[in-house]
Amino acid sequence: KIEKHTYTLEVHTMPSTPTPRPTRSPRSSLGGGVGCAPPLPLLSPGGAAAAAASCCSAHSHSHSHSLPSATISAQSAAPLGLPLPTSSLVTLATCNLNQWALDFEGNFQRILRSCQVAKSRGATYRLGPELEICGYGCEDHFLEMDTFRHGWETLAKLFASGATDDLMCDFGMPVLHGGVRYNCRVICKDRRVLLVRPKCALADNGNYREGRYFTAYRAPAKGSGMETILLPREPFFTEYHQRSAPFGLHHLQCSDSATLGCESCEELWTPQSTHISLSLRGVEILSNGSGSHHELRKLQTRMELMINATRKCGGVYLYANQRGCDGGRTYYDGCAMIVVNGRIVAQARQFDVREVEVVCATVDLEDVRSYRASNPAFGIQAARSASEEGGTSAWALSLEGVTLTNDCQKWSPEVERRRPKVMTEGGLELRVPTPEEECCLGPACWMWDFLRRSGAAGFFLPLSGGADSSSVAAIVAVMCTLVTKASREDPDGDVAKECRRVCRKDDPWVPSSPQEMANCILHTTFMGTENSSEVTLSRAKRLGEAVGSYHQSIKIDLVVEAILKVFQITTGRVPKFSSRGGTTAEDLALQNIQARIRMVMAYLFAQLLPWVRGRSGFLLVLGSANVDEGLRGYMTKYDCSSADINPIGGISKQDLKRMLIHISSEYPGFGVLAEIANAPPTAELRPIDSAAATAEAGHSQTDEEDMGMTYEELGYFGRLRKISRCGPVSMFNKLLIMWSHLPSSEVAAKVKRFFYYYSVNRHKMTTITPSYHAEAYSPDDNRFDLRQFLYNTRWTRQFAVIDEMVARNVEVEDTAVLDKDKND
């Protein structure tokens, strides 16, 4: 009652002595760790309202006594020690981790380091990437029981190291429950498993095959009780006195009223995203531990999903991701972030060579509550959801004595100083790199991981002076720039140590420039023949100098002549180029033998150049075929497209040219790349026709003339075939509209030419070099683009339908021309 500026209050006393905190464990390697504490009481789902009423500090109140009502003036309220409102500030951490499939020890170290950084910044909750404990890319190793066993071992090791002491940790790991494999989030605090939350929507498109390894979880019927999972006896019961843990799609409600729920990777992309139901249940903190790989122009879409999710429903959304090559063709591109009510308050880098990056933000949960309460439509739908589910606490897992808010924790002054401040208004601008930046930064980071984890001493690249091999050299130069920068910023850090190991240098050496590092690891060779031009020879030499590579120029005519001599002795015949009277078969054979000799020479030099330079180890051979050439099959099987890895195999020719121009303008000393980008692509495998050769190309043979189509047209064909899922007839229909300036007969001829060459060369994709996945229309047969490699290349039914459609269109086109003539 309010009477003359006084308040009538119901007063509850505080206990005279706070409940002591559990004793510290001597084994803890982290500050603030708890030892073998007694089990945290877990309330059943639905008991959240009662549990969250009063506890605001880490010292839980075991008793309270109701006193008679008293009339107390407003001025004297504070001196009497009345309880102040519970703080709604919470500091949250999320991270990018460079995990490696099946590297359980290395993964453990990186997870532990992220927990240490989160604690040092005053965070009370830390989110990690999907399947971070074992690595996302284990693939068929998920079918092995060892993977699950080592996952629990790693979790136990994280407990023993104190990672979860005073920090709620959200780990990603595979879990076997009831004989079924699940992709799970395991939420822990103070060496207790609070919840095992299985993924309920699996990624099964593109590069993802989660349905092969895991089962999408289906929640039991309403009223069937809380499901539990039996934990391994050693050490969870023997050391930490916990035999089982809740299992299911619950959300957590802490005793300080903070609520937290999980959404796992693919669930964000589904029509009925998990965050919608969680928001309507009143969950304020939404976490998404993800394993999302890089694809050109994909980041904007991914980020907009999270921003729009909280802009529409309100809430704090945390996103964690792996960042790096974990053993396959994909590069996980990080960009961990925290979003509050549609505002970005923290964002990590998308590309980087560092293994661990943690970002933190302090947020005010009252902002979420106010944002939602101000939206009438949200209130109506939340009330309807509560009515249908039997109350907002139907899926809540109440945790007595578990808190998240900052006032419920005790931190050192140093931690308090490092804790981020609340961003009260505005937000960070979303950082999205251009496609040109993605093309060079993504493959550069992927190659660094591959190089240092393979144990190789560097790379060998056949450098022709053309756009493709020059793009690979430029990407290696960008890689050296990133590694050199990180090494010089932290000479004792992990990147510097790996750089010294790869370059075969002693401590405390760090490269003084990217060129110094490139000279240690990149070996380039121009392998010319009598058909090569001086223009490409010059470009290759100048680019090698700009990059800093160990460069050589050699002639391979002697090897070609020797092989042809063997053929002549054996058959008595001498093949000729078509320009000198030979057949098409002779011409192709003479071109292919040059290309294949280069592959053989590349592997010879890759094995022996370290020995020549007085160094140990071997070199990885780099391929340089782009995605359009793979799609069209414009490459020689087992030529220089055959290599150990190919950083540009998933990037289109058009994007590569734009990348070269970008690097030439952004990186000093690389002006030759602009010259290379503007030159017509040429294979230089036929004799030079001086009358037809141009100054820019330096040769009379050009790729687009050989292919019978332009690289721009190949981009259209590739996107329609893969992204739009078009066969020949569907593609013809779409291109009739897109290329309305062309007669239908010409469009039909282009479509039929493409599908003929695509199908007749599809077998080449079965042996294609493992390539960095970047483009959504990649023809990679091994993982991404699953199709047969023996086709009826005549496409009899499909082409017949196109011919019928052309005949009808020709009549319409002729009629239109006649009508135009009459009008004229």
Side-chain angles (χ1 to χ4, degrees):
K1 300 176 183 178
I2 302 178
E3 293 181 0
K4 298 180 180 179
H5 307 292
T6 61
Y7 302 104
T8 302
L9 304 173
E10 186 77 12
V11 180
H12 299 273
T13 62
M14 304 284 283
S16 57
T17 304
T19 304
R21 293 181 61 80
T23 58
R24 306 288 179 184
S25 169
R27 295 173 300 180
S28 173
S29 64
L30 297 174
V34 215
C36 300
L40 294 172
L42 297 178
L43 302 188
S44 61
S54 63
C55 180
C56 69
S57 75
H59 310 302
S60 302
H61 308 318
S62 56
H63 304 284
S64 63
H65 305 281
S66 178
L67 297 182
S69 299
T71 302
I72 306 171
S73 67
Q75 290 81 359
S76 62
L80 286 178
L82 292 177
L84 298 175
T86 303
S87 168
S88 56
L89 299 182
V90 57
T91 301
L92 308 169
T94 183
C95 60
N96 296 331
L97 297 184
N98 192 338
Q99 304 299 74
W100 190 8
L102 299 181
D103 180 24
F104 288 95
E105 187 58 34
N107 293 345
F108 159 75
Q109 294 293 342
R110 288 180 282 272
I111 294 170
L112 178 61
R113 201 185 320 162
S114 71
C115 295
Q116 292 171 329
V117 174
K119 288 185 182 184
S120 71
R121 297 178 186 173
T124 57
Y125 172 78
R126 173 265 181 204
L127 172 69
E130 184 175 13
L131 297 169
E132 60 182 318
I133 283 180
C134 59
Y136 183 86
C138 294
E139 298 186 321
D140 278 5
H141 289 291
F142 284 122
L143 307 179
E144 302 167 359
M145 288 304 301
D146 281 6
T147 305
F148 295 87
R149 180 182 299 111
H150 297 322
W152 287 111
E153 290 170 355
T154 303
L155 183 63
K157 193 170 182 179
L158 286 166
F159 279 18
S161 64
T164 65
D165 295 351
D166 291 334
L167 179 70
M168 185 179 291
C169 293
D170 191 336
F171 301 120
M173 62 179 281
V175 170
L176 188 68
H177 174 58
V180 182
R181 295 185 301 269
Y182 292 107
N183 179 347
C184 292
R185 307 301 308 177
V186 180
I187 305 177
C188 312
K189 187 180 181 185
D190 292 331
R191 311 189 189 198
R192 300 280 300 174
V193 178
L194 304 180
L195 173 67
V196 179
R197 197 275 191 188
K199 191 173 183 179
C200 57
L202 302 180
D204 277 317
N205 59 326
N207 285 300
Y208 295 105
R209 299 286 181 274
E210 289 184 8
R212 179 182 175 96
Y213 320 119
F214 301 111
T215 299
Y217 180 75
R218 293 292 176 266
K222 188 184 297 185
S224 58
M226 182 175 64
E227 191 174 358
T228 59
I229 180 174
L230 199 64
L231 303 179
R233 180 177 177 82
E234 295 284 347
F236 295 95
F237 179 70
T238 57
E239 292 287 332
Y240 309 116
H241 313 294
Q242 184 180 8
R243 196 67 184 97
S244 62
F247 185 95
L249 304 181
H250 309 290
H251 64 266
L252 304 181
Q253 182 150 352
C254 300
S255 57
D256 55 3
S257 298
T259 52
L260 183 145
C262 299
E263 177 171 70
S264 188
C265 196
E266 180 69 10
E267 296 171 22
L268 171 66
W269 299 79
T270 59
Q272 290 184 327
S273 300
T274 307
H275 68 261
I276 297 175
S277 58
L278 288 173
S279 298
L280 293 176
R281 292 171 189 162
V283 177
E284 298 147 343
I285 302 171
L286 308 166
S287 66
N288 186 335
S290 183
S292 186
H293 65 73
H294 173 241
E295 200 169 85
L296 289 175
R297 304 169 181 88
K298 174 185 174 183
L299 178 65
Q300 182 80 36
T301 303
R302 186 201 302 159
M303 298 297 101
E304 285 177 352
L305 284 172
M306 287 178 274
I307 294 170
N308 292 333
T310 60
R311 181 179 291 131
K312 182 171 62 175
C313 300
V316 181
Y317 201 103
L318 284 85
Y319 172 76
N321 194 13
Q322 292 192 184
R323 186 177 63 195
C325 166
D326 78 340
R329 293 165 171 80
T330 52
Y331 175 82
Y332 299 92
D333 59 340
C335 209
M337 66 189 313
I338 302 175
V339 185
V340 180
N341 297 339
R343 298 181 299 118
I344 301 172
V345 297
Q347 180 182 351
R349 299 178 187 88
Q350 184 181 13
F351 306 110
D352 199 51
V353 293
R354 297 171 180 85
E355 291 193 322
V356 176
E357 183 179 10
V358 179
V359 293
C360 300
T362 300
V363 301
D364 191 344
L365 298 182
E366 284 295 315
D367 290 343
V368 175
R369 297 159 188 163
S370 173
Y371 187 91
R372 289 174 174 175
S374 65
N375 186 347
F378 179 88
I380 293 170
Q381 294 192 1
R384 183 187 303 129
S385 174
S387 175
E388 292 171 353
E389 293 185 349
T392 56
S393 300
W395 291 94
L397 184 65
S398 299
L399 304 175
E400 185 178 347
V402 178
T403 60
L404 280 179
T405 52
N406 291 346
D407 279 6
C408 297
Q409 319 299 324
K410 284 190 174 181
W411 303 103
S412 68
E414 180 64 20
V415 171
E416 291 287 359
R417 185 184 63 80
R418 285 197 296 262
R419 175 184 287 147
K421 306 302 180 186
V422 179
M423 189 178 293
T424 56
E425 57 185 36
L428 303 178
E429 183 178 350
L430 178 62
R431 299 193 303 270
V432 179
T434 64
E436 294 79 22
E437 292 173 314
E438 291 183 89
C439 285
C440 59
L441 292 174
C445 295
W446 180 76
M447 290 174 71
W448 171 242
D449 286 341
F450 206 101
L451 174 62
R452 65 192 181 89
R453 287 173 171 170
S454 68
F459 299 121
F460 179 85
L461 171 65
L463 184 58
S464 69
D468 292 335
S469 62
S470 297
S471 295
V472 176
I475 290 171
V476 176
V478 172
M479 182 200 81
C480 293
T481 301
L482 295 173
V483 174
T484 299
K485 182 176 183 292
S487 299
R488 295 187 66 81
E489 288 175 353
D490 185 6
D492 296 321
D494 290 340
V495 178
K497 292 176 182 177
E498 291 281 51
C499 181
R500 284 190 285 270
R501 183 180 60 81
V502 170
C503 295
R504 288 10 185 205
K505 298 289 186 178
D506 297 327
D507 191 24
W509 177 89
V510 292
S512 59
S513 67
Q515 286 75 14
E516 183 183 7
M517 178 180 175
N519 187 259
C520 293
I521 66 168
L522 179 59
H523 304 71
T524 55
T525 301
F526 179 85
M527 301 183 188
T529 68
E530 60 182 0
N531 302 318
S532 303
S533 69
E534 292 297 323
V535 174
T536 51
L537 172 64
S538 170
R539 288 173 185 152
K541 181 180 179 182
R542 284 182 285 148
L543 180 56
E545 292 172 351
V547 173
S549 66
Y550 179 84
H551 183 74
Q552 295 175 310
S553 297
I554 64 172
K555 289 284 189 179
I556 61 171
D557 292 308
L558 286 175
V559 186
V560 175
E561 292 169 2
I563 291 177
L564 292 177
K565 189 67 175 177
V566 172
F567 180 84
Q568 180 183 354
I569 294 172
T570 305
T571 64
R573 306 292 296 271
V574 179
K576 300 177 182 178
F577 287 102
S578 58
S579 61
R580 297 173 180 174
T583 63
T584 301
E586 293 174 70
D587 191 274
L588 287 175
L590 288 173
Q591 292 187 67
N592 289 339
I593 193 61
Q594 298 171 66
R596 290 187 173 117
I597 289 293
R598 287 182 174 129
M599 184 272 289
V600 175
M601 295 296 292
Y603 274 95
L604 175 66
F605 274 66
Q607 285 185 296
L608 294 181
L609 274 182
W611 167 70
V612 169
R613 300 184 69 187
R615 300 182 180 184
S616 61
F618 63 96
L619 304 179
L620 294 170
V621 178
L622 298 179
S624 57
N626 63 64
V627 70
D628 296 325
E629 292 170 348
L631 179 66
R632 162 62 171 72
Y634 183 64
M635 62 177 68
T636 300
K637 201 173 187 179
Y638 305 117
D639 69 345
C640 280
S641 64
S642 297
D644 293 316
I645 55 173
N646 181 1
I648 67 167
I651 305 177
S652 70
K653 191 78 161 189
Q654 302 291 356
D655 281 333
L656 286 175
K657 286 189 171 185
R658 286 189 283 266
M659 181 197 74
L660 291 175
I661 294 172
H662 164 76
I663 295 177
S664 70
S665 62
E666 294 296 324
Y667 293 79
F670 285 88
V672 66
L673 292 179
E675 177 186 336
I676 293 170
N678 293 321
T682 173
E684 294 192 339
L685 295 173
R686 291 196 186 105
I688 300 175
D689 182 353
S690 55
T694 63
E696 294 82 8
H699 206 283
S700 54
Q701 181 184 13
T702 63
D703 291 355
E704 292 185 343
E705 183 180 348
D706 281 355
M707 292 191 298
M709 59 193 73
T710 67
Y711 281 107
E712 184 179 4
E713 289 172 344
L714 270 172
Y716 280 106
F717 296 143
R719 284 186 288 272
L720 289 173
R721 182 197 69 97
K722 179 67 177 177
I723 301 174
S724 298
R725 298 167 293 280
C726 288
V729 176
S730 300
M731 184 181 292
F732 173 71
N733 278 327
K734 290 185 181 295
L735 288 177
L736 275 180
I737 300 170
M738 299 169 69
W739 293 346
S740 57
H741 60 288
L742 297 177
S744 58
S745 57
E746 189 172 343
V747 175
K750 288 178 179 293
V751 170
K752 289 195 282 187
R753 185 184 300 117
F754 164 72
F755 272 98
Y756 169 76
Y757 282 110
Y758 157 74
S759 57
V760 79
N761 288 313
R762 180 65 187 177
H763 65 95
K764 297 179 182 179
M765 291 297 98
T766 63
T767 61
I768 197 70
T769 296
S771 302
Y772 177 91
H773 177 83
E775 189 56 76
Y777 67 86
S778 168
D780 183 353
D781 176 76
N782 296 280
R783 291 290 188 278
F784 185 70
D785 189 41
L786 307 182
R787 303 167 195 252
Q788 76 263 37
F789 54 88
L790 178 61
Y791 279 88
N792 177 357
T793 57
R794 296 185 299 276
W795 299 83
T796 46
R797 173 64 61 83
Q798 295 90 334
F799 287 0
V801 172
I802 290 177
D803 291 339
E804 293 174 8
M805 296 172 69
V806 170
R808 290 197 299 269
N809 275 306
V810 167
E811 294 178 7
V812 173
E813 291 167 356
D814 291 344
T815 303
V817 171
L818 290 174
D819 291 342
K820 184 177 183 299
D821 290 342
K822 289 178 182 178
N823 292 333
D824 292 343

